[in-house]
Amino acid sequence: MLETKLIADTLPMAVTWEDGDLFLLDQTQLPLATVIEKQETAEQVWESIRLLKVRGAPAIGVAGAYGLCVAMKGDTDLPLSDFIEKMDKQAAYLDSSRPTAVNLGWGLRRMVRTAKAAQVSTAAELYNVLVAEAIAIHEEDKRLCIGMGENGAPLIKEGMGILTHCNAGSLATSILGTATAPMYMAHNQGVKFRVYADETRPLLQGARLTSWELQQAGIDVTLITDNMAAHIMSQGLIDMVITGTDRVAANGDVANKIGTMGVAILAKHFGIPFYVACPSSTIDHDTPSGEGIPIEEREDYEVTEFGARRTAPEGIKVRNPAFDVTPNELVTGLITEKQIITAPYTENIKALFG
Ligand code: MRU
């Protein structure tokens, strides 16, 4: 398939379902080691999501859906009503692993809804329904990535400099990424452009993951630390910003990796378009504005240590919000699988996605 050829052959998939088992790439070990772990229990899947072994909004949506299958696999002998009761509990448990990316809850709710609507008489049959739905979510995510790539690629012109933040790449999704899908497609069409990847403190998704996957694809990528973005922009090196998102509120406010709002403010200052690649699975129609998006706060050690080496005084007070919310007025457009949406976002999101 063309879309799988766009990424490097050597790039491992974040999520794989093979012969009834779930395998997750441990992204915490990249780029130094490629370790793929079989997921045996709901607890293991919960921890893989919580520790960011699998991360990125679409990928955790897919991992959560398969995770429910892992959780229910050993219960096919239960009476159907007991199976359904346990499925509800396991879905809620898996959903509690991370709060900000809406895809996780979206995927799990879809799994439970589909299972409850299924006309089956045994738990074993219902388990098969769960597996089929998880595979459908996975396949659908691939199509969403391709759609964003097709719609976003024409924005990328010869010679452009593009800044991205965090990893909204293939590793964060089922195939081409969200922010990177237009990049992979433009690159495949022979367009020459440069990408600047923000390092993305504290967990370095830009350095460890984005620069790694784009480099393997042969895309011209330069790594910078987060605090270099203003300087690089001031030198006229950036023509466009494209990021991903973990949740888009109904009014177009965008939650993404901490630091994204700063990039958007800088982009406005320098008159640079700021685009967000956003599959429909990341739009939260039930949350009216960014104020309602839960922001994950993570452990202090992620800030007080660098590469497991202490870099701050013992006892220091720390804040570690993992995401921030960029107000919709700073967003030039949302690159979706259907089309690029521009302001007014509330009306246009509703018109396109209901
Ligand atoms: O904490 P992470 O690594 O899961 O954060 C991921 C991001 O912020 C991505 O930009 C977002 O999920 C979009 S992924 C296509």
Side-chain angles (χ1 to χ4, degrees):
M1 274 201 320
L2 169 68
E3 54 277 8
T4 46
K5 284 201 195 106
L6 301 184
I7 54 171
D9 287 342
T10 46
L11 191 71
M13 291 288 142
V15 181
T16 313
W17 180 259
E18 209 173 283
D19 298 331
D21 286 313
L22 173 62
F23 297 86
L24 297 176
L25 170 67
D26 180 357
Q27 299 191 30
T28 64
Q29 301 199 46
L30 291 175
L32 299 180
T34 301
V35 177
I36 293 169
E37 291 179 346
K38 184 174 169 184
Q39 306 293 300
E40 311 271 8
T41 63
E43 290 71 23
Q44 187 186 359
V45 176
W46 189 97
E47 194 177 85
S48 295
I49 296 172
R50 176 70 202 159
L51 297 180
L52 273 57
K53 290 183 175 188
V54 60
R55 32 71 48 206
I60 65 174
V62 174
Y66 284 130
L68 190 58
C69 303
V70 172
M72 300 309 299
K73 193 177 181 176
D75 294 311
T76 51
D77 287 341
L78 287 178
L80 188 56
S81 59
D82 292 359
F83 184 93
I84 292 172
E85 197 181 317
K86 184 165 178 193
M87 177 184 73
D88 275 331
K89 285 193 184 127
Q90 295 287 37
Y93 168 67
L94 289 167
D95 192 21
S96 71
S97 53
R98 291 192 82 187
T100 303
V102 74
N103 304 59
L104 181 59
W106 168 87
L108 286 163
R109 281 191 298 277
R110 176 169 153 178
M111 292 285 286
V112 168
R113 212 174 38 243
T114 303
K116 288 186 177 171
Q119 303 291 316
V120 293
S121 47
T122 66
E125 287 175 275
L126 198 52
Y127 174 75
N128 290 336
V129 171
L130 285 177
V131 172
E133 190 63 8
I135 292 171
I137 289 172
H138 195 178
E139 291 305 312
E140 196 176 293
D141 187 54
K142 293 178 189 170
R143 291 196 293 276
L144 298 182
C145 292
I146 293 163
M148 283 178 284
E150 286 170 349
N151 292 330
L155 294 170
I156 300 179
K157 310 283 186 235
E158 188 74 19
M160 265 191 169
I162 304 168
L163 182 82
T164 190
H165 190 73
C166 194
N167 174 264
S170 192
L171 294 164
T173 64
S174 303
I175 186 151
L176 292 176
T178 61
T180 58
M183 300 178 198
Y184 284 122
M185 289 212 175
H187 178 69
N188 189 55
Q189 290 156 10
V191 181
K192 292 200 173 44
F193 55 94
R194 291 161 287 111
V195 178
Y196 288 82
D198 276 349
E199 168 188 53
T200 318
R201 270 287 280 157
L203 295 179
L204 308 180
Q205 288 92 332
R208 294 186 303 101
L209 308 176
T210 303
S211 63
W212 185 67
E213 66 165 273
L214 294 183
Q215 184 187 50
Q216 287 186 69
I219 292 176
D220 178 346
V221 55
T222 303
L223 175 64
I224 59 171
T225 62
D226 302 331
N227 50 2
M228 294 173 189
H231 176 71
I232 297 292
M233 285 182 180
S234 76
Q235 294 196 321
L237 293 170
I238 306 298
D239 302 289
M240 173 165 64
V241 176
I242 312 180
T243 74
T245 172
D246 289 81
R247 189 185 297 230
V248 177
N251 71 344
D253 290 348
V254 169
N256 192 45
K257 180 52 57 193
I258 193 75
T260 302
M261 175 169 48
V263 173
I265 293 167
L266 288 176
K268 185 174 169 78
H269 176 83
F270 288 106
I272 297 167
F274 179 90
Y275 285 94
V276 176
C278 153
S280 50
S281 54
T282 308
I283 300 174
D284 179 0
H285 299 276
D286 298 329
T287 299
S289 75
E291 273 174 46
I293 299 178
I295 300 295
E296 177 181 6
E297 285 269 350
R298 295 184 61 85
E299 289 76 7
D300 291 2
Y301 72 83
E302 293 179 353
V303 175
T304 57
E305 294 176 3
F306 195 87
R309 177 172 164 264
R310 182 109 196 153
T311 53
E314 292 295 341
I316 194 73
K317 284 198 287 183
V318 171
R319 284 289 311 276
N320 188 13
F323 299 95
D324 59 27
V325 176
T326 299
N328 59 21
E329 65 263 24
L330 296 179
V331 179
T332 308
L334 297 171
I335 304 169
T336 77
E337 73 273 14
K338 287 197 176 166
Q339 64 180 62
I340 298 178
I341 306 180
T342 52
Y345 287 106
T346 306
E347 292 80 346
N348 291 344
I349 287 174
K350 209 176 193 167
L352 202 59
F353 294 110

